Amino acid sequence: MATKPVLVLKVGGALLQCEMGMARLMTAAAEMIAAGQQVLLVHGGGCLVDEQLTANGKETIKLDGLRVTPEDQIPIVVGALAGTSNKILQAAAAKAGIVSVGMSLGDGNMVTAKIKDERLGLVGEVEPNDATYLNFILNQGWMPICSSIAISSQGDMLNVNADQAATALAKLVNGTLVLLSDVSGVLDGKGQLISSLNKSEIEYLVAQGVIEKGMKVKVEAALEVAQWMGKPVQVASWRDAEQLKTLVKGGSVGTQIQP
Ligand SMILES: Nc1ncnc2c1ncn2[C@@H]1O[C@H](COP(=O)(O)OP(=O)(O)O)[C@@H](O)[C@H]1O
Ligand SMILES: CC(=O)N[C@@H](CCC(=O)OP(=O)(O)O)C(=O)O
C-alpha cells in the first residue's frame, strides 16, 4: 500500500488539443508512478463537446459555467467525453509507458449520481460512494483515467462538470487534488496570478465578476475539497512544464485555494 495520498489530477479539455502538453503531463505522471506515487487522472473535454455539438447542428447553452444538456444532446456529450476524450488520454498515457484503465463516473459503484437542477437537463451531481474499484486499480500501479459521465439509479446518463467529478473522486480516495487548466491559476483583474485565495477572497472576486464561468465552477470545487480535507487545493496549468516538475517534487504551483 502507498503511504502518500493519491494524487488526483484533473485536466481540462484544452489539453486534449495539445500533443506536447499531453506528452509532458504523461511523462510527469509516469515519473511519479515509477516513484510509487498513485495517480488518478480525471478529465473534461468541453471543447470536444462543443465541436461535436456544432458538427451535429446543436446549440450550446451554458448557465453559470455548466452546459445545459437536453436529452437529444446526451449521446453526443457521452461520445465526446467517455469516448473520444478518454481514449485520446489513454493513448497518450500508453505512449509514456503508463498502464491505464479508462473509465467513467458510472463505473464500479464509485459515486452516486442524481440530476442537479431540472433547468440544466441531464446534468449530474455526484457524491463519493465506494472506492473498492479505484483502489484495486491504483494498487496494481495502474493509472485510472476517468471521464465525467455518470449514471443515475434511474438509468439516466448524466453530464457532470469535470471539476465537480474530480471533487467527488478526490473525496472518495482522500486524495490530494490538483486542478490543471489552460491558465496558470486564478488571475486578478489585471491578469496577474494570485498565489493564494481563501473563502472570503473568492466570494469577493466572484461578486466583482473577476472570477467567472469555468473558473468560478473550478474555484468553488477546489474550495469544497479544501474545506472537506482541511488542506489546500491547487489550481495550476498543464501548459507549464516547470509547474509539472514542481508538482512531481511535491511543491506548490499556481493558486492555492485555502480551506
Ligand atoms: N479570474 C480568472 N482567472 C483565470 N481564468 C478565468 C478567470 N475568470 C474566468 N476565467 C476563465 O476560466 C477558464 C478556465 O476554466 P475552464 O475553461 O472551465 O477550464 P478547464 O476546461 O481547464 O476546466 C479560463 O480559460 C478563463 O477563460
Ligand atoms: C455539466 C457540464 O458543464 N459538463 C461539462 C463536462 C466536461 C468538462 O467539464 O470539461 P472541461 O473540464 O474541459 O471544462 C461539459 O459538458 O462541458
Side-chain angles (χ1 to χ4, degrees):
M1 285 291 283
T3 47
K4 270 172 79 180
V6 178
L7 179 64
V8 181
L9 286 180
K10 186 268 168 172
V11 295
L15 173 73
L16 305 171
Q17 296 172 323
C18 179
E19 284 284 335
M20 175 81 92
M22 272 194 297
R24 278 200 199 122
L25 179 82
M26 292 304 177
T27 304
E31 281 173 26
M32 289 189 259
I33 293 166
Q37 170 68 58
Q38 296 185 324
V39 182
L40 159 60
L41 190 65
V42 186
H43 67 88
C47 37
L48 267 89
V49 176
D50 290 343
E51 271 178 21
Q52 285 302 313
L53 287 175
T54 305
N56 284 279
K58 309 277 185 199
E59 211 189 344
T60 290
I61 301 169
K62 290 203 173 181
L63 277 184
D64 239 354
L66 299 179
R67 186 186 308 277
V68 178
T69 311
E71 214 172 327
D72 68 319
Q73 293 193 4
I74 201 78
I76 299 165
V77 173
V78 170
L81 296 176
T84 312
S85 302
N86 193 266
K87 300 313 150 197
I88 287 175
L89 285 168
Q90 275 199 279
K95 208 170 168 183
I98 297 171
V99 179
S100 74
V101 177
M103 59 172 73
S104 291
L105 290 175
D107 296 2
N109 215 15
M110 291 190 291
V111 299
T112 54
K114 61 174 191 199
I115 288 185
K116 191 174 183 63
D117 177 336
E118 295 293 342
R119 287 172 303 172
L120 294 170
L122 291 171
V123 167
E125 187 173 274
V126 287
E127 294 292 336
N129 187 40
D130 184 346
T132 311
Y133 177 53
L134 265 183
N135 282 330
F136 173 76
I137 292 161
L138 290 165
N139 286 334
Q140 313 306 311
W142 298 341
M143 182 170 78
I145 302 184
C146 190
S147 85
S148 63
I149 295 299
I151 298 177
S152 72
S153 55
Q154 279 78 38
D156 286 317
M157 289 182 269
L158 299 176
N159 178 15
V160 178
N161 167 273
D163 295 316
Q164 295 173 352
T167 302
L169 295 182
K171 286 179 178 175
L172 181 65
V173 296
N174 218 353
T176 300
L177 177 62
V178 180
L179 298 170
L180 293 172
S181 185
D182 61 346
V183 283
S184 56
V186 185
L187 308 177
D188 66 15
K190 294 178 184 145
Q192 298 293 311
L193 178 69
I194 304 170
S195 58
S196 172
L197 281 174
N198 62 26
K199 184 170 189 281
S200 60
E201 290 164 338
I202 290 168
E203 282 167 358
Y204 175 76
L205 291 173
V206 167
Q208 295 293 308
V210 171
I211 299 177
E212 56 169 4
K213 298 182 184 161
M215 190 51 80
K216 176 172 179 281
V217 177
K218 197 181 300 299
V219 166
E220 284 169 356
L223 182 64
E224 188 189 323
V225 172
Q227 293 190 321
W228 198 80
M229 306 250 182
K231 63 180 182 187
V233 168
Q234 287 155 253
V235 175
S237 173
W238 48 258
R239 285 195 187 277
D240 186 345
E242 283 310 311
Q243 291 205 350
L244 291 175
K245 282 186 196 149
T246 309
L247 192 66
V248 174
K249 291 182 199 133
S252 164
V253 288
T255 304
Q256 278 211 329
I257 309 297
Q258 305 295 339

